């Protein structure tokens, strides 16, 4: 792989962070609007809607490790991963718009199938960008704290994107309907605007490798045993097995991955519930609720970075996890005391959310560096592919759990223009899936986090070891 840069330039930070405008938008919109689009606009039963959402994410679990391995091979051959990133930037807008072009009046199953196919294609295009994008920090910078700085800038942009897309998407739908358009048209316009932003952000971020490295720096090929230039071509099955082999061979990566997946499951549950809480509990729009969740993240992301420098990333992540869990659990009181008081614990959860996003992503390149010091370079893409698969699976199954809870508790689906009074059991289901279940998952993630062994001294030792070893000849395996 290309050797890490010795210093972290401002251009690298800016270009890399801009990519999170798109990743934050696509990471937010499906969980926020896709389920409610199917149940409240297309009239799809929550069980069918949840199944369609989940199947597309299961596909991500299959395809992401393969994309990661192919990205590693591209890096070894050409010195860059950007080809995959550009393909994702071009394909995602097209398929995201397709997802929201369901013709009015289609039967329930046909509507669900249309959304499934469109979103499956969109998710695949997104993975082509996201997997190599997550792999880059391990290659762009080599310092323990510099990685936190790079990721912290990304998370600030991510929080802005989540806020803009989370609040703006529903506002666009509302503006179109208020102007005489249908909900179908509103969602289509929303998808078109979002798709254009995805494309611009991803194309800018795809230039970050050239910005950081220039064109004169030589590329050190990956070992031949890990898809280097001299390695024979292998099929998707081998890439998939190598991806999960990486999980088994790195205890720090495995502990961090399990923690992040469980936490993504909890966050996916809450994201899926935001629109329902706003509509059925508050009787208001999503924007204010999203503001209370995301605005604190903008303010405290630098504080999580400072805290991690003082006490270590893993201890800071433990604190963020506990704060989020306590804030989420307190929302169970909405069953008996509904009201605007919920904005306070939601804001507290938002402050913790900044740490839950920035700290694991800053720890991921540490696990890559630790693995490279022991097993040789060349697996950053493989690690990021499995990571992205785990994240998308967690977010997806969060939406699945939410849809199951809605179905079991008697939630009544509607079509555009129709309104119903939901039964009390459905209201309780919405609150429980927004509070108690995410809190339990967050507390559970502390068990796997306790098994994460890396500390600053371990990373400094790994970085020094990789930097002091001579580069192997082309195609030669690392000792």
């Amino acid at each position: 792989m290309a050797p890490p840069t010795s210093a972290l330039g401002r251009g690298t930070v800016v270009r890399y962070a801009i990519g999170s405008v798109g990743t934050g938008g696509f990471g937010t919109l499906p969980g926020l609007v896709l389920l409610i689009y199917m149940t409240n606009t297309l009239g799809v039963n929550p069980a069918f809607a949840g199944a369609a959402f989940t199947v597309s994410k299961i596909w991500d679990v299959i395809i992401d490790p393969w994309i990661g391995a192919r990205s590693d091979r591209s890096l070894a051959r050409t010195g860059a991963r950007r080809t995959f990133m550009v393909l994702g930037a071009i394909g995602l807008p097209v398929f995201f718009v397709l997802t929201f072009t369901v013709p009015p009046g289609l039967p329930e199953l046909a509507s669900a199938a249309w959304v499934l196919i469109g979103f499956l294609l969109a998710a695949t295009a997104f993975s082509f960008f996201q997997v190599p994008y997550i792999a880059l920090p391990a290659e762009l910078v080599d310092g323990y704290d510099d990685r936190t700085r790079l990721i912290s800038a990304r998370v600030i942009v991510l929080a802005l994107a989540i806020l803009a897309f989370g609040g703006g998407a529903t506002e666009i739908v509302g503006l179109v309907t208020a102007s005489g358009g249908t909900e179908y048209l509103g969602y289509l316009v929303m998808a078109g605007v979002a798709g254009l932003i995805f494309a611009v952000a991803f194309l800018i971020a795809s230039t970050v490798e050239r910005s950081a490295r220039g064109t004169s720096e030589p590329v050190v090929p990956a070992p031949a045993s890990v898809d280097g230039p001299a390695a024979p071509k292998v099929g998707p099955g081998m890439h998939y097995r190598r991806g999960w082999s990486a999980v088994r061979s790195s205890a720090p990566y495995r502990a961090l991955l399990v923690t992040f997946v469980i936490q993504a499951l909890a966050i996916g549950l809450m994201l899926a519930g935001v629109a329902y809480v706003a509509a059925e509990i508050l009787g208001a729009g999503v924007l204010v609720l999203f503001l209370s969740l995301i605005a604190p993240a903008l303010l405290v992301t630098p504080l999580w970075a400072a805290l991690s420098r003082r006490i270590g990333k893993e201890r800071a992540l433990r604190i963020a996890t506990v704060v989020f869990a306590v804030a989420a659990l307190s929302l169970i009181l909405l069953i008996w005391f509904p009201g605007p008081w919920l904005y306070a614990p939601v804001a507290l959860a938002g402050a913790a959310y900044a740490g839950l996003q920035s700290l694991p992503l800053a720890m991921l390149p540490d696990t890559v560096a630790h693995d490279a010091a022991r097993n040789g370079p060349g697996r950053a893409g493989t690690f990021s592919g499995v990571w992205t698969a785990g994240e998308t699976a967690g977010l997806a199954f969060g939406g699945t759990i939410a849809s199951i809870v809605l179905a079991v508790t008697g939630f009544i689906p509607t079509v555009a223009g129709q309104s119903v009074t939901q039964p009390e059991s459905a209201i309780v289901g919405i609150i429980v899936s927004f509070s108690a279940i995410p809190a339990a998952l967050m507390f559970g993630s502390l068990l796997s986090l306790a098994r994460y062994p890396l500390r600053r001294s371990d990373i400094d030792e790994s970085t020094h070891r990789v930097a002091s070893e001579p580069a192997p000849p082309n195609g030669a395996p690392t000792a």
Side-chain angles (χ1 to χ4, degrees):
M1 76 182 191
T5 57
S6 58
L8 183 60
R10 180 176 298 177
T12 301
V13 174
V14 171
R15 291 178 187 227
Y16 186 74
I18 285 175
S20 285
V21 173
T23 63
F26 189 78
T28 300
L29 285 182
L32 179 67
V33 304
L34 200 59
L35 190 60
I36 200 167
Y37 169 66
M38 286 192 281
T39 61
N40 287 26
T41 299
L42 303 180
V44 177
N45 183 279
F48 292 149
F53 187 75
T54 302
V55 167
S56 64
K57 290 303 184 178
I58 291 175
W59 171 246
D60 281 341
V61 176
I62 296 172
I63 196 68
D64 286 352
W66 178 82
I67 292 174
R70 297 301 300 177
S71 174
D72 282 339
R73 190 180 184 96
S74 174
L75 178 68
R77 285 183 163 181
T78 68
R81 303 180 186 271
R82 70 175 63 91
T83 298
F84 286 84
M85 299 170 73
V86 170
L87 286 174
I90 295 172
L92 177 58
V94 175
F95 298 132
F96 191 67
V97 170
L98 176 66
T99 304
F100 291 92
T101 57
V102 182
L106 277 187
E108 182 178 11
L109 288 178
S111 295
W114 184 298
V115 172
L116 169 62
I117 294 171
F119 188 61
L120 188 150
L121 293 171
T124 302
F126 177 71
S127 292
F128 267 81
F129 176 86
Q130 173 81 337
V131 171
Y133 178 70
I134 289 179
L136 289 179
E139 298 154 5
L140 297 177
V141 66
D142 56 4
Y144 181 88
D145 290 327
D146 276 346
R147 287 175 184 146
T148 305
R149 178 188 163 205
L150 180 64
I151 297 300
S152 295
R154 179 200 164 187
V155 170
I156 290 174
V157 175
L158 185 73
L160 283 169
I162 292 172
L163 179 60
F165 281 93
T170 54
E171 291 298 309
I172 289 175
V173 176
L175 285 173
V176 171
T177 55
S179 301
T182 64
E183 280 188 23
Y184 298 95
L185 179 60
Y187 278 106
L188 182 58
V189 171
M190 177 273 296
V193 172
L196 180 61
I197 296 173
F198 296 159
V200 172
F202 287 175
L203 289 172
I204 291 174
S206 68
T207 67
V208 71
E209 289 174 301
R210 181 175 297 169
S211 170
R213 298 173 184 157
T215 57
S216 60
E217 191 172 85
V219 174
V220 179
S225 60
V226 190
D227 287 337
K233 292 186 177 181
V234 296
M238 180 60 72
H239 288 311
Y240 188 75
R241 288 191 293 272
R242 285 177 178 172
W244 294 109
S245 174
V247 176
R248 294 192 300 270
S249 64
S250 174
Y253 175 73
R254 185 169 60 250
L256 183 63
L257 176 67
V258 171
T259 300
F260 192 69
V261 169
I262 295 173
Q263 293 183 352
L265 184 62
I267 292 169
L269 260 166
M270 294 196 76
L271 280 177
V274 165
Y276 292 98
V277 169
E280 305 296 343
I281 310 299
L282 294 176
V286 174
L287 181 58
V288 176
L289 190 57
F290 242 85
L291 276 171
S292 65
L293 177 65
I294 303 302
L298 298 173
L299 301 175
V300 304
T301 295
L303 300 181
W304 288 115
L307 183 63
S308 73
R309 288 193 294 270
R310 184 176 181 85
I311 67 174
K313 300 174 190 177
E314 72 290 339
R315 292 178 65 188
L317 179 58
R318 190 175 297 116
I319 292 172
T321 302
V322 171
V323 171
F324 189 98
V326 171
L329 185 60
S330 69
L331 292 168
I332 194 70
L333 295 175
L334 285 169
I335 295 176
W336 301 281
F337 308 105
W341 64 267
L342 70 87
Y343 292 121
V346 166
L348 183 61
Y353 175 74
L356 298 178
Q357 287 293 298
S358 62
L359 294 169
L361 288 172
M363 294 159 72
L364 174 61
D366 292 340
T367 67
V368 173
H370 181 266
D371 177 74
R374 283 152 180 77
N375 303 311
R379 298 206 296 181
T382 298
F383 273 46
S384 69
V386 178
W387 180 273
T388 305
E391 179 184 17
T392 53
L395 291 172
F397 284 109
T400 301
I401 294 173
S403 66
I404 291 172
V405 172
L406 290 177
V408 168
T409 55
F411 182 87
I412 303 172
T414 59
V415 296
Q418 180 184 8
S419 62
V420 298
T421 300
Q422 298 293 341
E424 184 177 349
S425 59
I427 301 300
V428 172
I430 291 170
I431 295 171
V432 169
S433 64
F434 189 69
S435 59
I437 302 177
L441 289 166
M442 281 292 174
F443 281 124
S445 72
L446 293 172
L447 298 176
S448 56
L449 181 58
R451 301 177 66 86
Y452 180 79
L454 297 183
R455 302 297 182 263
R456 181 191 300 271
S457 59
D458 300 309
I459 304 308
D460 291 341
E461 176 187 349
S462 297
T463 301
H464 176 74
R465 184 183 306 172
V466 172
S468 62
E469 289 178 352
N474 285 4
T478 304

